[in-house]
DNA sequence: ATGAGGGCATAAGCTGGTCTTATGAGCGAG
DNA sequence: CTCGCTCATAAGACCAGCTTATGCCCTCAT
């Protein structure tokens, strides 16, 4: 997106076109409580501030969001839609906060969690959010690394609870399966594979260069094992995001966790290619040093991950 | 969340603990470009402003995000994690913007889209984002309603392209399948059904009161048809969000689009219950008045939805 | 009928954050 | 050795948003 194009659009980055988080939270409160004043009280400002904030949000969006009446305020149709989109933004922000909070409390924490990248990115923020809702006083810290790193942190006592996504549990650790993940083959919608009628065979997959995470990543391990160590890299990238971006741009097929590509599949930026004869399921496990059954906050978090 | 509890946590709503969108965008730019100054230029501020913004973000989060050096800046490990979470927030904000933009351009638009609620909520913002990337000048408007409303808007010429999720295509409209959706049975993880070994039968499902959207919604139609008009409501609610919230809180089983519950399933706030003997698949279709094949921007959008 | 109370809008003044410009200091390459 | 890139700091301007203080409208109960 060039500057020239920004000029032409008359826009200056999202931040100027999307209301800030405080305003979005206010909108959600109004939707829930049905009154500007009540919403103002909930978010901790005065009623005029809320009134003005809401008004400027409507001006910014160019759409009326709430019908004000002398006995309360209700969302307009457009307001209901906007509120749903706002809720997503606020949820993402809450997940951000849960993660950041855990990161911040590194030093003086009582529950120290070590997790592999995919879990830290896609699942942990949500769990931490739930944990915080139930035990608001728990200070959590978060360290991310591959399976070996997680094992090391647990065994040296630098972490209380770990989450790994590999096939085998590192020695010295006990574990329990908390969820199952599936690796799926994805391509951009224009790729020839997207038009296949029959599932891909293991041989075809093994014979095709793929966009992959680097060796040593949990994802790569599972794939190598499933194919018998044969996965051929077309490109090797060091983050899931980079792999996704390459795949979306049509650079080639990739194999990724279904956790990571939900959004892309829904929006059809990527399509999932069925495969037969290969088991790409993998267990996501919570791990802890053998014998040291999780207790206290660790046990609490563990129970949340299993529902 | 009471005020007292807010006191105790020392927090004052997300907005005070999460950096604003401008800061998050700056962080993404720094991550991508590897330089504070370059990132500053990209987001359209001076370098000192970027420096200060980043510093205050680090202070706010209590974590160092980038390693500055005389020849550039790189993310720290924590920074990489934070950047991924930030990316989610920014993506949600971009989707919000795409939707809001469409809503705003209602009057003077060139492409007027009518869509059913589920599609408008979960899919359209992403498509509009993609459309905007390819054709930045296209002004799009968005109207949401049920299938009948969409048909009416198309037939009266008030909309150019529609999206519906029902079983049958309203008369007078041509259509094409753009994606498939599946309704899934979900419960809170504590529900007895979550521990079943065998799939649910159609009879069991039909015999159990469910948390549902109101009659007339696309979701409800499909379910009623699949069960032979027998779905028994436990509660009827008017928004997908409300239904999800009830299901998560354990009020009972529900049937929802898999589009709507991806996040909840991943975080195990809900679990999916297999069902046999019922086809809960449904086609998502683009529709237009018979004979009036989509052209111009409508055609463009259509092609994006199919990849 | 008439006041009490809740709901929202407007006005005026203050405060604080954030931007800009200007400048300095470290490091590497020509 | 000096140019060019990086980032940091300082000082001042500016603007957005808050609070307090009102006023109007509507409803409900006395």
């Amino acid at each position: 997106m060039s500057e020239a194009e920004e000029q032409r659009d008359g826009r200056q980055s999202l931040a100027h076109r999307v209301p800030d988080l405080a305003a979005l939270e206010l909108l959600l409160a109004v939707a829930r409580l049905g009154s500007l004043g009540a919403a103002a009280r909930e978010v901790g400002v005065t009623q005029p501030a809320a009134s003005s904030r809401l008004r400027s949000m409507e001006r910014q969006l160019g759409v009326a969001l709430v019908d004000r009446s002398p006995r309360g305020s209700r969302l307009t149709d457009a307001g209901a839609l906007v509120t749903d989109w706002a809720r997503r933004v606020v949820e993402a922000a809450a997940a951000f906060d849960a993660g950041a909070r855990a990161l911040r409390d590194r030093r003086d924490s009582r529950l120290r969690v070590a997790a592999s990248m995919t879990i830290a990115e896609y699942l942990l923020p949500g769990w931490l959010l739930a944990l915080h809702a139930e035990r608001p006083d728990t200070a959590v810290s978060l360290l991310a690394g591959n399976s070996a790193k997680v094992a090391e942190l647990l065994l040296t006592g630098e972490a209380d609870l770990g989450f790994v996504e590999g096939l085998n549990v590192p020695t010295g650790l006990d574990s329990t399966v908390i969820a199952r993940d599936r690796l799926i083959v994805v391509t951009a919608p224009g790729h020839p594979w997207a038009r296949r009628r029959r599932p891909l065979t293991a041989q075809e997959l093994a014979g095709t260069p793929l966009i992959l995470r680097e060796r040593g990543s949990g994802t790569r391990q599972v794939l190598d094992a499933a194919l018998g160590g044969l996965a051929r890299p077309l490109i090797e990238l060091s983050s899931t995001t980079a792999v996704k971006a390459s795949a979306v741009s049509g650079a080639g097929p990739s194999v990724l966790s279904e956790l990571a590509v939900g959004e892309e599949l829904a929006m059809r930026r990527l399509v999932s290619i069925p495969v037969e004869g290969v088991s790409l399921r993998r267990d996501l496990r919570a791990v802890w040093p053998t014998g040291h059954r999780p207790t206290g906050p660790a046990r609490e978090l563990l129970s949340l991950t299993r529902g």
Side-chain angles (χ1 to χ4, degrees), chain A residues 7 14 92 194 288 296:
Chain A
Q7 288 299 45
L14 276 181
W288 56 87

Side-chain angles (χ1 to χ4, degrees), chain A residues 195-253:
Chain A
R195 272 182 281 282
R196 289 176 62 102
R197 302 257 164 181
R198 304 178 140 271
L200 221 52
T201 65
Q203 284 80 4
E204 285 175 293
L205 186 60
T208 307
L210 303 167
I211 306 171
L212 297 171
R213 286 280 300 282
E214 78 285 2
R215 289 194 77 94
S217 71
T219 305
R220 185 71 179 273
Q221 272 178 26
V222 173
L223 180 61
D224 283 345
L227 297 179
L230 299 175
R232 290 173 49 186
L234 170 63
I235 322 176
E236 283 189 343
L237 297 165
S238 63
S239 84
T240 303
T241 310
V243 171
K244 279 201 290 188
S246 283
V248 169
S249 77

Side-chain angles (χ1 to χ4, degrees), chain A residues 48 74 98 113 166 305:
Chain A
R74 289 184 51 78
V113 176
T305 62

Side-chain angles (χ1 to χ4, degrees), chain A residues 62-235:
Chain A
V63 175
L65 299 175
V66 308
D67 278 333
R68 291 114 168 125
S69 89
R71 66 179 185 294
S73 297
R74 289 184 51 78
L75 293 178
T76 61
D77 288 353
L81 219 40
V82 169
T83 301
D84 274 313
W85 299 327
R87 189 172 288 112
R88 305 269 180 83
V89 179
V90 171
E91 280 168 1
F96 180 106
D97 178 53
R101 194 173 271 255
L103 235 37
R104 169 176 45 248
D105 294 341
R106 188 157 26 191
R107 307 228 159 271
D108 53 343
S109 66
R110 294 195 315 199
L111 173 58
R112 296 157 305 165
V113 176
S116 64
M117 269 297 175
T118 302
I119 294 175
E121 266 186 67
Y122 294 97
L123 295 175
L124 256 182
W127 295 339
L128 295 178
L129 215 52
L131 179 64
H132 184 69
E134 298 212 350
R135 292 269 191 283
D137 293 328
T138 308
V140 184
S141 77
L142 170 57
L143 295 156
N146 59 25
S147 295
K149 176 82 175 176
V150 169
E152 180 197 319
L153 289 167
L154 287 170
L155 293 172
T156 60
E158 291 174 67
D160 306 312
L161 184 63
F163 294 95
V164 297
E165 61 202 50
L167 283 175
N168 34 28
V169 180
T171 53
L173 301 182
D174 280 353
S175 76
T176 181
V177 174
I178 53 168
R180 306 197 108 192
D181 184 26
R182 208 161 46 102
L183 299 185
I184 57 183
V185 178
V186 295
T187 69
H191 192 279
W193 282 2
R195 272 182 281 282
R196 289 176 62 102
R197 302 257 164 181
R198 304 178 140 271
L200 221 52
T201 65
Q203 284 80 4
E204 285 175 293
L205 186 60
T208 307
L210 303 167
I211 306 171
L212 297 171
R213 286 280 300 282
E214 78 285 2
R215 289 194 77 94
S217 71
T219 305
R220 185 71 179 273
Q221 272 178 26
V222 173
L223 180 61
D224 283 345
L227 297 179
L230 299 175
R232 290 173 49 186
L234 170 63
I235 322 176

